[in-house]
Amino acid sequence: MRFPVTTLPRTRTISVRARPDVDHHHLDARIRAHLGGAGRCPEDGRRSTHVLLFDDSASVVGYQGTDPAGRRYEETAIAVDLLGHACRCGRELVGVVHFDVGPADVAPTAVATRPGLVAVHEALRVPDDGAGVSTIGPALAVAAGFPGPLTTLVILSDFALTDTDVVTDLLASRPAWVDHVHVVSLGVVPSFTGGVVPPWVTVTKLGHRPGQVAEAVHRSFTRTRLPSRRTS
């Protein structure tokens, strides 16, 4: 059995920010409308903790990288906003950790509150003092140290890593500190996802159509939420 890979249609570039003819306000509004709401909070009162890991290495943010314009952060912010707006229980927590671990990171915080939402938004950017490392191990160690288990760990990377063995071990062992891992590939499907698939791992290979990062993150956020009630 192999990893289930969700492949989204490929177009030429994710870097819509580099195009002066793109109206980003209307683009983001269309993405929000496409995603719709984020459903209802679980009725059992359980807390949901989502941690996002971001790769800011040169192969991602460089001129020839997979996302030099930083749209992954802007689209993630859309998904975070939808979750915060939908949450009524105050138990939906979102944290952000960069591969360049440091003060730009934010521990899981309630996005139903304005301070929490602002804190997450402030973390959704390339760290000013980041070195652009391609090593995921330190970021995983930080995520593992948060109160858990984590509901979802979302890894956004092109997976041109210096320590792919760390991810291989993560996907092979199912550590007690995380319930579900969502591998969101900004480039090729990682070669280390070719083995036996755990049911607690999802792999999404992005194309470059605007909105695909938001869709992937939104899918992770809503995985354990209830559908919205229909109004007559």
Side-chain angles (χ1 to χ4, degrees), residues 129-164:
D129 58 351
V133 300
S134 296
T135 304
I136 193 175
L140 281 175
V142 171
F146 292 138
L150 306 183
T151 306
T152 313
L153 177 72
V154 185
I155 306 173
L156 297 101
S157 173
D158 65 350
F159 293 93
L161 305 176
T162 60
D163 57 350
T164 56

PDB file of all heavy atoms in Angstrom, residues 129-164:
ATOM      1  N   ASP A 129      15.560  37.164  10.703  1.00  0.00           N
ATOM      2  CA  ASP A 129      16.916  36.712  11.004  1.00  0.00           C
ATOM      3  C   ASP A 129      17.159  35.275  10.581  1.00  0.00           C
ATOM      4  O   ASP A 129      18.106  34.634  11.026  1.00  0.00           O
ATOM      5  CB  ASP A 129      17.197  36.850  12.506  1.00  0.00           C
ATOM      6  CG  ASP A 129      16.194  36.065  13.353  1.00  0.00           C
ATOM      7  OD1 ASP A 129      15.194  35.569  12.784  1.00  0.00           O
ATOM      8  OD2 ASP A 129      16.413  35.960  14.576  1.00  0.00           O
ATOM      9  N   GLY A 130      16.302  34.760   9.701  1.00  0.00           N
ATOM     10  CA  GLY A 130      16.428  33.365   9.292  1.00  0.00           C
ATOM     11  C   GLY A 130      17.609  33.138   8.367  1.00  0.00           C
ATOM     12  O   GLY A 130      17.961  33.995   7.548  1.00  0.00           O
ATOM     13  N   ALA A 131      18.222  31.975   8.493  1.00  0.00           N
ATOM     14  CA  ALA A 131      19.363  31.616   7.656  1.00  0.00           C
ATOM     15  C   ALA A 131      18.945  30.816   6.429  1.00  0.00           C
ATOM     16  O   ALA A 131      19.767  30.516   5.574  1.00  0.00           O
ATOM     17  CB  ALA A 131      20.374  30.818   8.472  1.00  0.00           C
ATOM     18  N   GLY A 132      17.661  30.453   6.361  1.00  0.00           N
ATOM     19  CA  GLY A 132      17.182  29.682   5.216  1.00  0.00           C
ATOM     20  C   GLY A 132      17.651  28.240   5.237  1.00  0.00           C
ATOM     21  O   GLY A 132      18.019  27.682   4.198  1.00  0.00           O
ATOM     22  N   VAL A 133      17.620  27.616   6.406  1.00  0.00           N
ATOM     23  CA  VAL A 133      18.116  26.251   6.519  1.00  0.00           C
ATOM     24  C   VAL A 133      17.184  25.263   5.835  1.00  0.00           C
ATOM     25  O   VAL A 133      15.985  25.501   5.703  1.00  0.00           O
ATOM     26  CB  VAL A 133      18.312  25.847   8.000  1.00  0.00           C
ATOM     27  CG1 VAL A 133      19.307  26.765   8.672  1.00  0.00           C
ATOM     28  CG2 VAL A 133      16.984  25.844   8.748  1.00  0.00           C
ATOM     29  N   SER A 134      17.751  24.148   5.411  1.00  0.00           N
ATOM     30  CA  SER A 134      16.979  23.066   4.792  1.00  0.00           C
ATOM     31  C   SER A 134      16.900  21.869   5.724  1.00  0.00           C
ATOM     32  O   SER A 134      16.744  20.734   5.280  1.00  0.00           O
ATOM     33  CB  SER A 134      17.625  22.660   3.462  1.00  0.00           C
ATOM     34  OG  SER A 134      17.597  23.719   2.537  1.00  0.00           O
ATOM     35  N   THR A 135      16.993  22.128   7.013  1.00  0.00           N
ATOM     36  CA  THR A 135      16.988  21.081   8.039  1.00  0.00           C
ATOM     37  C   THR A 135      15.701  21.172   8.838  1.00  0.00           C
ATOM     38  O   THR A 135      15.386  22.227   9.391  1.00  0.00           O
ATOM     39  CB  THR A 135      18.196  21.252   8.975  1.00  0.00           C
ATOM     40  OG1 THR A 135      19.389  21.241   8.196  1.00  0.00           O
ATOM     41  CG2 THR A 135      18.243  20.124  10.004  1.00  0.00           C
ATOM     42  N   ILE A 136      14.960  20.064   8.921  1.00  0.00           N
ATOM     43  CA  ILE A 136      13.660  20.075   9.584  1.00  0.00           C
ATOM     44  C   ILE A 136      13.724  19.602  11.033  1.00  0.00           C
ATOM     45  O   ILE A 136      12.822  19.879  11.826  1.00  0.00           O
ATOM     46  CB  ILE A 136      12.658  19.204   8.794  1.00  0.00           C
ATOM     47  CG1 ILE A 136      11.230  19.446   9.280  1.00  0.00           C
ATOM     48  CG2 ILE A 136      13.022  17.731   8.885  1.00  0.00           C
ATOM     49  CD1 ILE A 136      10.173  18.720   8.463  1.00  0.00           C
ATOM     50  N   GLY A 137      14.788  18.903  11.409  1.00  0.00           N
ATOM     51  CA  GLY A 137      14.879  18.294  12.723  1.00  0.00           C
ATOM     52  C   GLY A 137      14.598  19.233  13.890  1.00  0.00           C
ATOM     53  O   GLY A 137      13.780  18.922  14.769  1.00  0.00           O
ATOM     54  N   PRO A 138      15.239  20.407  13.970  1.00  0.00           N
ATOM     55  CA  PRO A 138      14.988  21.316  15.095  1.00  0.00           C
ATOM     56  C   PRO A 138      13.534  21.772  15.178  1.00  0.00           C
ATOM     57  O   PRO A 138      12.981  21.895  16.275  1.00  0.00           O
ATOM     58  CB  PRO A 138      15.938  22.483  14.807  1.00  0.00           C
ATOM     59  CG  PRO A 138      17.049  21.882  14.012  1.00  0.00           C
ATOM     60  CD  PRO A 138      16.388  20.869  13.148  1.00  0.00           C
ATOM     61  N   ALA A 139      12.897  22.027  14.034  1.00  0.00           N
ATOM     62  CA  ALA A 139      11.496  22.449  14.040  1.00  0.00           C
ATOM     63  C   ALA A 139      10.596  21.323  14.545  1.00  0.00           C
ATOM     64  O   ALA A 139       9.643  21.557  15.300  1.00  0.00           O
ATOM     65  CB  ALA A 139      11.073  22.883  12.638  1.00  0.00           C
ATOM     66  N   LEU A 140      10.884  20.093  14.144  1.00  0.00           N
ATOM     67  CA  LEU A 140      10.110  18.955  14.636  1.00  0.00           C
ATOM     68  C   LEU A 140      10.276  18.792  16.143  1.00  0.00           C
ATOM     69  O   LEU A 140       9.314  18.474  16.853  1.00  0.00           O
ATOM     70  CB  LEU A 140      10.540  17.676  13.926  1.00  0.00           C
ATOM     71  CG  LEU A 140       9.995  17.444  12.519  1.00  0.00           C
ATOM     72  CD1 LEU A 140      10.625  16.191  11.913  1.00  0.00           C
ATOM     73  CD2 LEU A 140       8.481  17.332  12.531  1.00  0.00           C
ATOM     74  N   ALA A 141      11.478  19.051  16.638  1.00  0.00           N
ATOM     75  CA  ALA A 141      11.717  18.941  18.073  1.00  0.00           C
ATOM     76  C   ALA A 141      10.897  19.968  18.845  1.00  0.00           C
ATOM     77  O   ALA A 141      10.356  19.674  19.918  1.00  0.00           O
ATOM     78  CB  ALA A 141      13.210  19.115  18.370  1.00  0.00           C
ATOM     79  N   VAL A 142      10.787  21.181  18.301  1.00  0.00           N
ATOM     80  CA  VAL A 142       9.965  22.208  18.940  1.00  0.00           C
ATOM     81  C   VAL A 142       8.502  21.778  18.943  1.00  0.00           C
ATOM     82  O   VAL A 142       7.806  21.871  19.959  1.00  0.00           O
ATOM     83  CB  VAL A 142      10.127  23.564  18.223  1.00  0.00           C
ATOM     84  CG1 VAL A 142       9.114  24.581  18.739  1.00  0.00           C
ATOM     85  CG2 VAL A 142      11.536  24.096  18.427  1.00  0.00           C
ATOM     86  N   ALA A 143       8.024  21.298  17.802  1.00  0.00           N
ATOM     87  CA  ALA A 143       6.622  20.867  17.706  1.00  0.00           C
ATOM     88  C   ALA A 143       6.334  19.733  18.682  1.00  0.00           C
ATOM     89  O   ALA A 143       5.271  19.691  19.318  1.00  0.00           O
ATOM     90  CB  ALA A 143       6.301  20.435  16.279  1.00  0.00           C
ATOM     91  N   ALA A 144       7.270  18.820  18.825  1.00  0.00           N
ATOM     92  CA  ALA A 144       7.081  17.685  19.724  1.00  0.00           C
ATOM     93  C   ALA A 144       7.021  18.126  21.182  1.00  0.00           C
ATOM     94  O   ALA A 144       6.473  17.408  22.028  1.00  0.00           O
ATOM     95  CB  ALA A 144       8.207  16.674  19.532  1.00  0.00           C
ATOM     96  N   GLY A 145       7.559  19.297  21.475  1.00  0.00           N
ATOM     97  CA  GLY A 145       7.579  19.787  22.843  1.00  0.00           C
ATOM     98  C   GLY A 145       6.335  20.543  23.265  1.00  0.00           C
ATOM     99  O   GLY A 145       6.183  20.861  24.458  1.00  0.00           O
ATOM    100  N   PHE A 146       5.435  20.815  22.333  1.00  0.00           N
ATOM    101  CA  PHE A 146       4.197  21.493  22.691  1.00  0.00           C
ATOM    102  C   PHE A 146       3.275  20.527  23.433  1.00  0.00           C
ATOM    103  O   PHE A 146       3.326  19.313  23.194  1.00  0.00           O
ATOM    104  CB  PHE A 146       3.486  22.032  21.453  1.00  0.00           C
ATOM    105  CG  PHE A 146       4.197  23.164  20.763  1.00  0.00           C
ATOM    106  CD1 PHE A 146       4.284  23.208  19.372  1.00  0.00           C
ATOM    107  CD2 PHE A 146       4.767  24.193  21.484  1.00  0.00           C
ATOM    108  CE1 PHE A 146       4.928  24.247  18.723  1.00  0.00           C
ATOM    109  CE2 PHE A 146       5.418  25.247  20.847  1.00  0.00           C
ATOM    110  CZ  PHE A 146       5.501  25.263  19.476  1.00  0.00           C
ATOM    111  N   PRO A 147       2.398  21.045  24.314  1.00  0.00           N
ATOM    112  CA  PRO A 147       1.430  20.162  24.969  1.00  0.00           C
ATOM    113  C   PRO A 147       0.610  19.418  23.928  1.00  0.00           C
ATOM    114  O   PRO A 147       0.124  20.011  22.972  1.00  0.00           O
ATOM    115  CB  PRO A 147       0.569  21.131  25.779  1.00  0.00           C
ATOM    116  CG  PRO A 147       1.456  22.314  26.016  1.00  0.00           C
ATOM    117  CD  PRO A 147       2.290  22.436  24.774  1.00  0.00           C
ATOM    118  N   GLY A 148       0.488  18.147  24.098  1.00  0.00           N
ATOM    119  CA  GLY A 148      -0.166  17.355  23.063  1.00  0.00           C
ATOM    120  C   GLY A 148      -1.069  16.295  23.632  1.00  0.00           C
ATOM    121  O   GLY A 148      -1.429  16.338  24.787  1.00  0.00           O
ATOM    122  N   PRO A 149      -1.413  15.354  22.743  1.00  0.00           N
ATOM    123  CA  PRO A 149      -0.873  15.232  21.399  1.00  0.00           C
ATOM    124  C   PRO A 149      -1.437  16.275  20.438  1.00  0.00           C
ATOM    125  O   PRO A 149      -2.550  16.750  20.625  1.00  0.00           O
ATOM    126  CB  PRO A 149      -1.289  13.822  20.969  1.00  0.00           C
ATOM    127  CG  PRO A 149      -2.539  13.566  21.739  1.00  0.00           C
ATOM    128  CD  PRO A 149      -2.350  14.249  23.058  1.00  0.00           C
ATOM    129  N   LEU A 150      -0.619  16.616  19.425  1.00  0.00           N
ATOM    130  CA  LEU A 150      -1.088  17.536  18.406  1.00  0.00           C
ATOM    131  C   LEU A 150      -2.163  16.860  17.569  1.00  0.00           C
ATOM    132  O   LEU A 150      -2.063  15.677  17.254  1.00  0.00           O
ATOM    133  CB  LEU A 150       0.062  17.967  17.494  1.00  0.00           C
ATOM    134  CG  LEU A 150       1.309  18.564  18.144  1.00  0.00           C
ATOM    135  CD1 LEU A 150       2.291  18.999  17.064  1.00  0.00           C
ATOM    136  CD2 LEU A 150       0.949  19.731  19.053  1.00  0.00           C
ATOM    137  N   THR A 151      -3.200  17.616  17.220  1.00  0.00           N
ATOM    138  CA  THR A 151      -4.232  17.085  16.327  1.00  0.00           C
ATOM    139  C   THR A 151      -3.676  16.902  14.932  1.00  0.00           C
ATOM    140  O   THR A 151      -3.872  15.866  14.296  1.00  0.00           O
ATOM    141  CB  THR A 151      -5.437  18.036  16.286  1.00  0.00           C
ATOM    142  OG1 THR A 151      -5.874  18.279  17.625  1.00  0.00           O
ATOM    143  CG2 THR A 151      -6.574  17.451  15.464  1.00  0.00           C
ATOM    144  N   THR A 152      -2.963  17.921  14.460  1.00  0.00           N
ATOM    145  CA  THR A 152      -2.409  17.884  13.106  1.00  0.00           C
ATOM    146  C   THR A 152      -1.067  18.590  13.073  1.00  0.00           C
ATOM    147  O   THR A 152      -0.908  19.680  13.627  1.00  0.00           O
ATOM    148  CB  THR A 152      -3.341  18.590  12.100  1.00  0.00           C
ATOM    149  OG1 THR A 152      -4.679  18.150  12.284  1.00  0.00           O
ATOM    150  CG2 THR A 152      -2.916  18.311  10.671  1.00  0.00           C
ATOM    151  N   LEU A 153      -0.108  17.971  12.404  1.00  0.00           N
ATOM    152  CA  LEU A 153       1.171  18.594  12.078  1.00  0.00           C
ATOM    153  C   LEU A 153       1.200  18.766  10.566  1.00  0.00           C
ATOM    154  O   LEU A 153       1.124  17.782   9.823  1.00  0.00           O
ATOM    155  CB  LEU A 153       2.336  17.729  12.536  1.00  0.00           C
ATOM    156  CG  LEU A 153       3.732  18.249  12.186  1.00  0.00           C
ATOM    157  CD1 LEU A 153       4.079  19.465  13.047  1.00  0.00           C
ATOM    158  CD2 LEU A 153       4.780  17.157  12.369  1.00  0.00           C
ATOM    159  N   VAL A 154       1.266  20.016  10.104  1.00  0.00           N
ATOM    160  CA  VAL A 154       1.293  20.310   8.672  1.00  0.00           C
ATOM    161  C   VAL A 154       2.707  20.758   8.311  1.00  0.00           C
ATOM    162  O   VAL A 154       3.213  21.722   8.880  1.00  0.00           O
ATOM    163  CB  VAL A 154       0.283  21.412   8.299  1.00  0.00           C
ATOM    164  CG1 VAL A 154       0.258  21.608   6.785  1.00  0.00           C
ATOM    165  CG2 VAL A 154      -1.113  21.069   8.814  1.00  0.00           C
ATOM    166  N   ILE A 155       3.334  20.065   7.394  1.00  0.00           N
ATOM    167  CA  ILE A 155       4.694  20.396   6.959  1.00  0.00           C
ATOM    168  C   ILE A 155       4.634  20.947   5.547  1.00  0.00           C
ATOM    169  O   ILE A 155       4.264  20.242   4.611  1.00  0.00           O
ATOM    170  CB  ILE A 155       5.615  19.159   6.997  1.00  0.00           C
ATOM    171  CG1 ILE A 155       5.578  18.499   8.379  1.00  0.00           C
ATOM    172  CG2 ILE A 155       7.042  19.552   6.631  1.00  0.00           C
ATOM    173  CD1 ILE A 155       6.335  17.172   8.435  1.00  0.00           C
ATOM    174  N   LEU A 156       4.967  22.239   5.387  1.00  0.00           N
ATOM    175  CA  LEU A 156       4.970  22.881   4.069  1.00  0.00           C
ATOM    176  C   LEU A 156       6.421  23.070   3.640  1.00  0.00           C
ATOM    177  O   LEU A 156       7.148  23.898   4.189  1.00  0.00           O
ATOM    178  CB  LEU A 156       4.246  24.221   4.116  1.00  0.00           C
ATOM    179  CG  LEU A 156       2.751  24.142   4.475  1.00  0.00           C
ATOM    180  CD1 LEU A 156       2.537  24.517   5.933  1.00  0.00           C
ATOM    181  CD2 LEU A 156       1.926  25.058   3.578  1.00  0.00           C
ATOM    182  N   SER A 157       6.833  22.307   2.629  1.00  0.00           N
ATOM    183  CA  SER A 157       8.237  22.297   2.225  1.00  0.00           C
ATOM    184  C   SER A 157       8.349  21.761   0.811  1.00  0.00           C
ATOM    185  O   SER A 157       7.425  21.096   0.306  1.00  0.00           O
ATOM    186  CB  SER A 157       9.042  21.411   3.195  1.00  0.00           C
ATOM    187  OG  SER A 157      10.381  21.237   2.763  1.00  0.00           O
ATOM    188  N   ASP A 158       9.496  22.040   0.167  1.00  0.00           N
ATOM    189  CA  ASP A 158       9.767  21.374  -1.111  1.00  0.00           C
ATOM    190  C   ASP A 158      10.512  20.059  -0.869  1.00  0.00           C
ATOM    191  O   ASP A 158      10.787  19.317  -1.794  1.00  0.00           O
ATOM    192  CB  ASP A 158      10.557  22.282  -2.051  1.00  0.00           C
ATOM    193  CG  ASP A 158      11.952  22.606  -1.532  1.00  0.00           C
ATOM    194  OD1 ASP A 158      12.261  22.283  -0.357  1.00  0.00           O
ATOM    195  OD2 ASP A 158      12.743  23.197  -2.301  1.00  0.00           O
ATOM    196  N   PHE A 159      10.846  19.789   0.390  1.00  0.00           N
ATOM    197  CA  PHE A 159      11.471  18.549   0.842  1.00  0.00           C
ATOM    198  C   PHE A 159      12.827  18.280   0.190  1.00  0.00           C
ATOM    199  O   PHE A 159      13.245  17.135   0.074  1.00  0.00           O
ATOM    200  CB  PHE A 159      10.520  17.362   0.690  1.00  0.00           C
ATOM    201  CG  PHE A 159       9.349  17.478   1.631  1.00  0.00           C
ATOM    202  CD1 PHE A 159       8.166  18.068   1.202  1.00  0.00           C
ATOM    203  CD2 PHE A 159       9.451  17.081   2.947  1.00  0.00           C
ATOM    204  CE1 PHE A 159       7.089  18.216   2.081  1.00  0.00           C
ATOM    205  CE2 PHE A 159       8.392  17.247   3.830  1.00  0.00           C
ATOM    206  CZ  PHE A 159       7.210  17.805   3.398  1.00  0.00           C
ATOM    207  N   ALA A 160      13.515  19.370  -0.172  1.00  0.00           N
ATOM    208  CA  ALA A 160      14.927  19.263  -0.545  1.00  0.00           C
ATOM    209  C   ALA A 160      15.723  19.436   0.751  1.00  0.00           C
ATOM    210  O   ALA A 160      16.380  20.455   0.979  1.00  0.00           O
ATOM    211  CB  ALA A 160      15.297  20.328  -1.573  1.00  0.00           C
ATOM    212  N   LEU A 161      15.639  18.434   1.610  1.00  0.00           N
ATOM    213  CA  LEU A 161      16.132  18.534   2.981  1.00  0.00           C
ATOM    214  C   LEU A 161      17.525  17.926   3.139  1.00  0.00           C
ATOM    215  O   LEU A 161      17.923  17.034   2.397  1.00  0.00           O
ATOM    216  CB  LEU A 161      15.170  17.820   3.933  1.00  0.00           C
ATOM    217  CG  LEU A 161      13.707  18.263   3.896  1.00  0.00           C
ATOM    218  CD1 LEU A 161      12.867  17.383   4.818  1.00  0.00           C
ATOM    219  CD2 LEU A 161      13.582  19.727   4.298  1.00  0.00           C
ATOM    220  N   THR A 162      18.223  18.394   4.168  1.00  0.00           N
ATOM    221  CA  THR A 162      19.510  17.808   4.519  1.00  0.00           C
ATOM    222  C   THR A 162      19.344  16.643   5.489  1.00  0.00           C
ATOM    223  O   THR A 162      20.300  15.917   5.746  1.00  0.00           O
ATOM    224  CB  THR A 162      20.424  18.859   5.166  1.00  0.00           C
ATOM    225  OG1 THR A 162      19.798  19.364   6.356  1.00  0.00           O
ATOM    226  CG2 THR A 162      20.690  20.025   4.206  1.00  0.00           C
ATOM    227  N   ASP A 163      18.134  16.480   6.034  1.00  0.00           N
ATOM    228  CA  ASP A 163      17.897  15.416   7.003  1.00  0.00           C
ATOM    229  C   ASP A 163      16.572  14.691   6.719  1.00  0.00           C
ATOM    230  O   ASP A 163      15.712  14.597   7.587  1.00  0.00           O
ATOM    231  CB  ASP A 163      17.923  15.956   8.433  1.00  0.00           C
ATOM    232  CG  ASP A 163      16.920  17.083   8.671  1.00  0.00           C
ATOM    233  OD1 ASP A 163      16.338  17.576   7.684  1.00  0.00           O
ATOM    234  OD2 ASP A 163      16.700  17.447   9.845  1.00  0.00           O
ATOM    235  N   THR A 164      16.435  14.185   5.515  1.00  0.00           N
ATOM    236  CA  THR A 164      15.200  13.480   5.141  1.00  0.00           C
ATOM    237  C   THR A 164      14.958  12.255   6.020  1.00  0.00           C
ATOM    238  O   THR A 164      13.813  11.812   6.167  1.00  0.00           O
ATOM    239  CB  THR A 164      15.237  13.034   3.667  1.00  0.00           C
ATOM    240  OG1 THR A 164      16.411  12.237   3.450  1.00  0.00           O
ATOM    241  CG2 THR A 164      15.259  14.228   2.739  1.00  0.00           C
TER     242      THR A 164
END
